[in-house]
Amino acid sequence: VVAGAALVLATTAACSSSANGPGSTAQKKITLITGVKSDPFYITMTCAAQAEAKARGLAFTADGSAQWDVSVQRPLIDSVAAARPDGLMVSPVDTEALTPSLKQIQSSGTKIALVDTSVTDPSVGITRISSDNEKGGQVAADALAQQMGERGSVIVISVKPGISTTDARIKGFTEEMAKYPNIKVLPTLYDNDLPATAASQIQSTLAAHPDLGGVFAGNTNTGQGVATGLSQAGKQGQVKVAAFDAEPDEITALKNGTLQVLVAQDPAAIGTQAVDQLAAALAGKPVQASIGTTMVAITKDNLSDPQIAKYVYKA
Ligand code: T6T
């Protein structure tokens, strides 16, 4: 599936550091605050944004939350308020809790680009750039149903409620799965973005539901944890898995048959286009309020196709 914006060649610069430096007083300054900093999705986004900022002569600094937690990301956002950059790219870890801080930053004159995740309040941000996550959930459902022979029980494991992206994926997945009368969807479980939690959750689900036929893993760390849990239970390949993202560990699990379908995003395009939109705003030029970036469904069979393999996250 190639959804969203025009096909974008996902390239990520070798991200030597997470900053082009504070820049000279004359340079416009952009700061990026991501979700979990160690997450390959955000590393890929950061590297691309850094390269684009450098190409445009913009000063660039980046940081990310150590965990998927409002109390951990909030100090990073508050430090942006103090620094007052010209532009802020941010992936808020919650749709509501950080909105007051973001509104205060915006009212002080910083242009905000919401990248990947967003907030409910429509007044925040001059642009919102992400995958079509609801569509991605639908793609995962249809692919998983096919893998399961359109029967059996399936469970969704994701991060936590209140994240715009993963909430949309779950919505798309469960609504699409309702089209398969012989597939039963079990109650969703949340792992707080901790692979070890997802691994134990999948094992306890197997114990309670020996007929478990499929899993939808809502993001990178969940996909990693589900793969680990299934391998530990000796169920790899028997329980089919559709997972979001395509970072190296997920690719390894796809190749060894533990995961069957990866819905890959284009985090590099999100990063690049957010810099472009902020640069336009800072130059007083028109800005696109919403940009949908590409997703592709990767399987063992199409992974060798260069048009697909280019969406594998480099980090
Ligand atoms: O799936 C991505 C991102 O789109 C989502 O908002 C949070 O999880 C990831 O970062 C991957 O872990």
Side-chain angles (χ1 to χ4, degrees):
V1 170
V2 175
L7 207 54
V8 177
L9 190 58
T11 56
T12 51
C15 211
S16 52
S17 71
S18 61
N20 290 343
S24 67
T25 51
Q27 274 181 304
K28 296 287 188 187
K29 296 173 176 50
I30 288 180
T31 293
L32 168 58
I33 301 293
T34 68
V36 176
K37 189 173 186 176
S38 60
D39 185 318
F41 174 90
Y42 290 122
I43 294 171
T44 302
M45 181 198 288
T46 300
C47 291
Q50 178 187 329
E52 185 71 359
K54 188 165 190 167
R56 288 178 169 273
L58 297 164
F60 179 81
T61 58
D63 204 347
S65 190
Q67 295 156 260
W68 201 278
D69 188 308
V70 167
S71 66
V72 176
Q73 191 181 53
R74 188 189 299 283
L76 300 177
I77 291 176
D78 290 345
S79 67
V80 171
R84 296 184 63 175
D86 300 290
L88 168 63
M89 302 165 55
V90 59
S91 305
V93 295
D94 183 86
T95 53
E96 311 297 340
L98 298 160
T99 299
S101 302
L102 294 174
K103 290 184 81 165
Q104 190 268 321
I105 289 170
Q106 185 165 262
S107 61
S108 299
T110 296
K111 306 288 187 190
I112 295 180
L114 290 163
V115 289
D116 177 49
T117 57
S118 65
V119 296
T120 308
D121 186 330
S123 73
V124 175
I126 57 164
T127 187
R128 296 179 175 209
I129 306 177
S130 74
S131 304
D132 180 344
N133 288 289
E134 192 167 328
K135 172 73 177 168
Q138 293 164 358
V139 167
D142 288 331
L144 191 57
Q146 188 186 9
Q147 290 278 341
M148 293 168 64
E150 299 192 12
R151 57 177 173 71
S153 57
V154 67
I155 194 165
V156 178
I157 302 182
S158 190
V159 181
K160 60 175 71 171
I163 303 169
S164 63
T165 51
T166 48
D167 283 356
R169 294 168 195 169
I170 295 169
K171 178 175 185 291
F173 179 88
T174 48
E175 287 177 357
E176 188 71 8
M177 211 43 122
K179 296 178 181 174
Y180 298 94
N182 296 322
I183 292 182
K184 178 187 172 195
V185 180
L186 299 172
T188 298
L189 298 177
Y190 293 99
D191 62 17
N192 287 316
D193 209 33
L194 299 171
T197 303
S200 64
Q201 284 171 328
I202 200 64
Q203 294 189 39
S204 54
T205 301
L206 283 165
H209 303 277
D211 72 328
L212 183 71
V215 185
F216 174 44
N219 80 326
T220 297
N221 286 348
T222 307
Q224 284 174 18
V226 166
T228 301
L230 286 175
S231 299
Q232 288 170 342
K235 291 284 187 183
Q236 67 272 25
Q238 295 171 49
V239 177
K240 307 301 184 186
V241 184
F244 241 81
D245 297 304
E247 49 80 41
D249 288 346
E250 286 180 298
I251 294 296
T252 301
L254 186 75
K255 287 176 178 173
N256 67 30
T258 308
L259 302 179
Q260 279 68 43
V261 183
L262 298 179
V263 180
Q265 305 182 72
D266 192 347
I270 295 173
T272 300
Q273 296 194 54
V275 170
D276 293 344
Q277 293 303 311
L278 286 175
L282 295 173
K285 293 177 181 170
V287 171
Q288 265 183 274
S290 177
I291 297 177
T293 49
T294 303
M295 287 176 298
V296 293
I298 303 181
T299 65
K300 209 172 180 178
D301 297 337
N302 69 10
L303 183 57
S304 56
D305 177 350
Q307 292 303 315
I308 297 292
K310 68 188 174 188
Y311 289 99
V312 172
Y313 306 172
K314 300 302 179 285

